[in-house]
Amino acid sequence: MSREQTEPFEHYVDGEWTVGESEGTFESANPATGETLGEFYRATPTDVERAVTAAEEAFEEWRRLSYIDRAEVLWEVYHELRDRTDELGEIVTRECGKEISEGRADVVEAAHMVEWAAGNARHPHGDVVPSEIAAKDAYMRRKPRGVVGCITPWNFPVAIPFWHVAVALVEGNTVVWKPAEQTPYCGQIVAEMMIDAGVPPGVFNVVQGFGDAGNAIVEDERVSTVLFTGSAEVGHKIDEKLGGVPGRDAALEMGGKNAIVVTDEADLDIALHSAVMSSFKTTGQRCVSSERIIVHTDVYDEFKARFVDLAEDVAVGDPLEEDTFMGPVVDESQVEKFGEYNDLAREEGANVLVDREELDDSEIPEGHQDGHWVGPFVYEVDYDPDLRCIHEEVFGPHVALIEYDGDIERAVEIHNDTDYGLAGAVVSEDYRQINYYRDHAEVGLAYGNLPSIGAEVQLPFGGVKKSGKGAPSAREVIEAVTERTAWTLNNSKDIQMAQGLSADITTDEG
């Protein structure tokens, strides 16, 4: 690594490690054990201002490099991610609590995103557009916007930062990044990898801290684009501040109240597998996790019985063990929120089918009593558009079974009855039902006969309605971090205009 591990860990600004303005610190803790993983200095708005200044000053020199030269720096990061997948995957698991295969997958996804971004540097850029005038060349060009602010969540503490950062850097922008306060150690590791790769001073800057630091990034007018993945509440505040501001933009990927539709033509083995993965993987703490399962009346009883059996038995345990399916939630606030929504479901008349909110002592791994442990909570409820429990995001293993009668149109009507529109899935052996869902489900990410669980890096990741604005990943993020210029060049000595517009200049003298 680029320096000895010392604590408290510092911010990385303008090529140097720095304590910053304040000596206030915060800790990162393992959600499975309560063990402290590290202490970190907490950034102030003044620290963010310094980081933005460094990024602004480094921009012109960085943008002058070729795509290939910028990508070569990122290739070094790619190789380190691949070589250290197991090591870094364990760090992810220790800091955010998701089971070890997910920790490794987080690092692999980061590597794939860097590979995509760096590889794209050698692909064609822009579009040649035919002109009406034979003597004219017309084409599209893109150029970097400047300083990009990146604010990322804790549940994918390595993958999502590279969704943002890799593309922004290869496209010629400079970056100020604030990792989630729950996973600063992963942020530290990413920063050290970027330094080891040779990213020049000021091009990539990291400020550790809380919402005030993120807000300072948003409010700094020199930050041309903000890339954000996180809660809808915070994302909408960012959009309110930047929406309509000339010269500034934001790409926002937020949460959802995602659903799976299981039709009368579903293969129930696929439906069950998809539902369990969607609802309980990452302990329900993916932005695409399913909290609603909408099941046709013809298959409802069988699906319910089998789903309940699995939810009662799904393995909750030490996330570092290979046979664990669900680890802890990230912190005590998530435990409390989970409990509050479980109580709300009861108050709204739900029939509780599985209640593992408070695990027995025997279910908690030895030595992990200080962790943040919950199990699945499953209930059935008659559909009612006024029920909060089926409309508000919980971000935990809180799942409603909703029975429907009728055709696919009715299922999709219930599916769409939410302010969110991030992700969803349909399970059916009838291609007409699948295609109806595809065409009418109000989501940015949709799956057929699959879990609602994510997307490969080459696909845009973002939602509609309350779930997002744009997609801060893959090809779509290029739109957010670059400006487009439509360029037309005349190759003739004469000037000729399109649409039949006269280019003749006349005077009073004839």
Side-chain angles (χ1 to χ4, degrees), residues 384-443:
D384 184 332
D386 295 326
L387 291 178
R388 289 176 55 203
C389 64
I390 61 173
H391 286 84
E392 298 177 12
E393 184 183 33
V394 179
F395 216 62
H398 168 106
V399 184
L401 301 185
I402 304 170
E403 184 177 1
Y404 80 96
D405 194 7
D407 50 27
I408 186 66
E409 287 84 355
R410 176 57 177 162
V412 172
E413 181 184 358
I414 296 170
H415 175 286
N416 289 343
D417 182 27
T418 171
D419 291 337
Y420 295 99
L422 182 58
V426 60
V427 182
S428 175
E429 295 298 295
D430 183 335
Y431 78 91
R432 293 180 179 87
Q433 292 180 338
I434 290 175
N435 286 348
Y436 184 88
Y437 178 92
R438 178 200 65 193
D439 294 342
H440 295 87
E442 295 172 351
V443 291

Side-chain angles (χ1 to χ4, degrees), residues 91-368:
I91 291 171
V92 170
T93 290
R94 288 187 183 279
E95 191 164 43
C96 78
K98 58 187 180 182
E99 55 89 6
I100 189 61
S101 78
E102 294 189 79
R104 288 192 293 265
D106 198 291
V107 180
V108 171
E109 183 174 339
H112 287 173
M113 191 68 250
V114 176
E115 179 183 40
W116 187 91
N120 190 51
R122 289 187 181 271
H123 290 181
H125 285 66
D127 299 294
V128 175
V129 182
S131 171
E132 292 181 29
I133 310 303
K136 290 181 182 178
D137 292 328
Y139 50 93
M140 309 293 288
R141 298 186 73 250
R142 289 195 171 275
K143 57 187 177 183
R145 300 198 74 214
V147 180
V148 173
C150 301
I151 304 171
T152 58
W154 55 264
N155 58 341
F156 286 82
V158 176
I160 290 179
F162 279 109
W163 290 6
H164 297 189
V165 169
V167 173
L169 291 178
V170 170
E171 291 295 323
N173 302 277
T174 55
V175 166
V176 176
W177 172 41
K178 191 200 87 67
E181 60 268 25
Q182 296 91 340
T183 51
Y185 192 73
C186 287
Q188 173 77 20
I189 298 297
V190 170
E192 292 178 352
M193 293 172 67
M194 300 293 272
I195 297 165
D196 291 344
V199 177
V203 171
F204 175 77
N205 307 271
V206 182
V207 288
Q208 299 276 17
F210 289 74
D212 55 342
N215 186 59
I217 291 173
V218 174
E219 292 193 340
D220 195 311
E221 295 180 355
R222 298 170 297 170
V223 176
S224 63
T225 300
V226 173
L227 305 178
F228 171 82
T229 301
S231 72
E233 179 185 6
V234 174
H236 296 150
K237 289 179 180 177
I238 293 172
D239 194 33
E240 288 172 6
K241 290 183 177 181
L242 298 187
V245 177
R248 304 193 69 196
D249 199 4
L252 312 167
E253 188 268 298
M254 297 172 278
K257 191 68 173 179
N258 310 301
I260 297 176
V261 171
V262 180
T263 79
D264 55 323
E265 299 292 338
D267 180 317
L268 288 192
D269 290 336
I270 293 175
L272 284 160
H273 198 160
S274 298
V276 170
M277 290 283 288
S278 302
S279 298
F280 304 135
K281 208 66 176 170
T282 325
T283 319
Q285 297 172 117
R286 289 175 178 249
C287 51
V288 293
S289 293
S290 175
E291 296 180 6
R292 299 177 298 148
I293 306 177
I294 303 162
V295 186
H296 193 275
T297 188
D298 288 356
V299 296
Y300 181 80
D301 287 341
E302 181 181 352
F303 177 89
K304 177 176 74 170
R306 294 175 65 181
F307 184 76
V308 164
D309 284 345
L310 285 169
E312 287 177 337
D313 294 336
V314 68
V316 178
D318 183 348
L320 291 172
E321 296 294 332
E322 296 286 349
D323 59 355
T324 292
F325 190 81
M326 278 177 53
V329 292
V330 71
D331 58 25
E332 190 59 30
S333 69
Q334 288 298 113
V335 175
E336 293 171 0
K337 182 179 181 183
F338 180 62
E340 290 168 0
Y341 274 95
N342 295 345
D343 290 343
L344 175 64
R346 294 186 185 95
E347 292 167 8
E348 293 189 319
N351 178 32
V352 178
L353 304 171
V354 179
D355 185 356
R356 297 175 66 187
E357 178 183 334
E358 295 184 10
L359 298 177
D360 293 337
D361 290 343
S362 61
E363 295 182 272
I364 297 174
E366 185 177 351
H368 292 66

